[in-house]
Amino acid sequence: MRSPVTDTPYPDLLALALEAARRAGDLLRDGRPADLAVARTKSSPIDVVTEMDIAAEKLITGLIADQRPDDGFLGEEGASSDGTSGIRWVIDPLDGTVNYLYGLPTWSVSIAAEQDGETVVGVVAAPMRGETYHAVRGGGAWATGAWTGERALACRPAPPLDQALVSTGFNYVSAVRGHQAQVAARLIPLLRDIRRGGSAAVDLCDVAAGRLDGYYERGLNAWDMAAGNLIAREAGALTGGRPGERPSGDLAVAGTPGVFEPLQRLLEDFGAWHD
């Protein structure tokens, strides 16, 4: 039986993901021009793709392809290939693009490796925090910080739902965002409070690190959540979508045991899974 921690290729995949995330994070942090330009638009004029976003994905895919030419790719900025090795890399080179564009610190580089469709390695680098989060399936979740060194991650003990701090995100299409705001308005009286950070990958890692009790969002893509979802689960959080389903574009939910299920039920009742 495969050991998810010690058998190859997982340690090699983790080392490669960490190196790619470090290099991309350095590029984004140190190379951000003062007159940052918009290369093209995504779903609306507000949701932008910057020149640095595209450059970071090229750096990541180039580094990985040099060492593992038979692997596949799925990247937010267009990288797409099936590969022949059974390993596919799911990449968000800059999660939190609008934060980055405005000079806000909550953005990240997210890299996950899938084996036969299951995420086995996840790395999320948050350069402006000086932290990188990582997990290997079955091996726990970890954070490495510039000031704190490496430490194991564990989600918080579950509070009552009315004392839970929960994060979410909003779509950049105004009509969709309006419905999401209605859902949030119904949730707020039932929680301690709601946060909106702007990077799904960082939010999932904050659940893992005990900085949030829960997180939910509609409209995520695979690259937004692949790495963070694994890190949250390996830290003891529960994750899913609609009740009985895996996280998807309809709904992604993460939370400490005790918060996850009541939060998921409320989101189902409030129609958070549709626009």
Side-chain angles (χ1 to χ4, degrees), residues 48-72:
V48 298
V49 182
T50 66
E51 295 168 352
M52 297 300 291
D53 199 341
I54 297 167
E57 181 163 299
K58 289 181 177 178
L59 184 157
I60 294 166
T61 56
L63 176 64
I64 293 172
D66 283 346
Q67 297 193 33
R68 299 186 57 88
D70 298 326
D71 291 355

Side-chain angles (χ1 to χ4, degrees), residues 66-223:
D66 283 346
Q67 297 193 33
R68 299 186 57 88
D70 298 326
D71 291 355
F73 290 98
L74 176 65
E76 182 181 18
E77 302 314 322
S80 179
S81 62
D82 292 334
T84 58
S85 66
I87 300 296
R88 183 176 75 159
W89 298 87
V90 183
I91 300 161
D92 192 338
L94 177 50
D95 187 47
T97 310
V98 173
N99 284 350
Y100 182 79
L101 185 68
Y102 277 76
L104 295 169
T106 305
W107 54 267
S108 62
V109 179
S110 176
I111 303 175
E114 295 178 341
Q115 183 176 42
D116 301 324
E118 294 292 331
T119 304
V120 294
V121 168
V123 171
V124 174
M128 303 309 292
R129 286 186 171 188
E131 291 183 325
T132 298
Y133 317 92
H134 61 90
V136 171
R137 188 175 65 181
W142 303 82
T144 303
W147 302 280
T148 60
E150 188 171 64
R151 68 188 189 281
L153 296 178
C155 62
R156 294 172 61 87
L161 190 64
D162 63 0
Q163 296 178 29
L165 183 64
V166 174
S167 184
T168 191
F170 297 103
N171 196 282
Y172 288 112
V173 176
S174 59
V176 177
R177 189 166 63 243
H179 176 67
Q180 292 173 323
Q182 293 173 15
V183 172
R186 295 181 69 181
L187 275 177
I188 286 173
L190 307 176
L191 305 172
R192 180 188 294 275
D193 206 351
I194 278 186
R195 296 288 182 266
R196 197 272 198 248
S199 167
V202 171
D203 282 342
L204 286 163
C205 291
D206 278 346
V207 173
R211 294 167 176 159
L212 291 169
D213 299 301
Y215 163 74
Y216 76 93
E217 189 163 350
R218 170 167 166 74
L220 296 181
N221 294 291
W223 49 76

Side-chain angles (χ1 to χ4, degrees), residues 237-264:
L238 300 177
T239 70
R242 296 184 66 186
E245 298 181 7
R246 300 177 68 170
S248 71
D250 287 338
L251 187 65
V253 187
T256 61
V259 167
F260 173 80
E261 289 186 1
L263 176 61
Q264 186 186 49

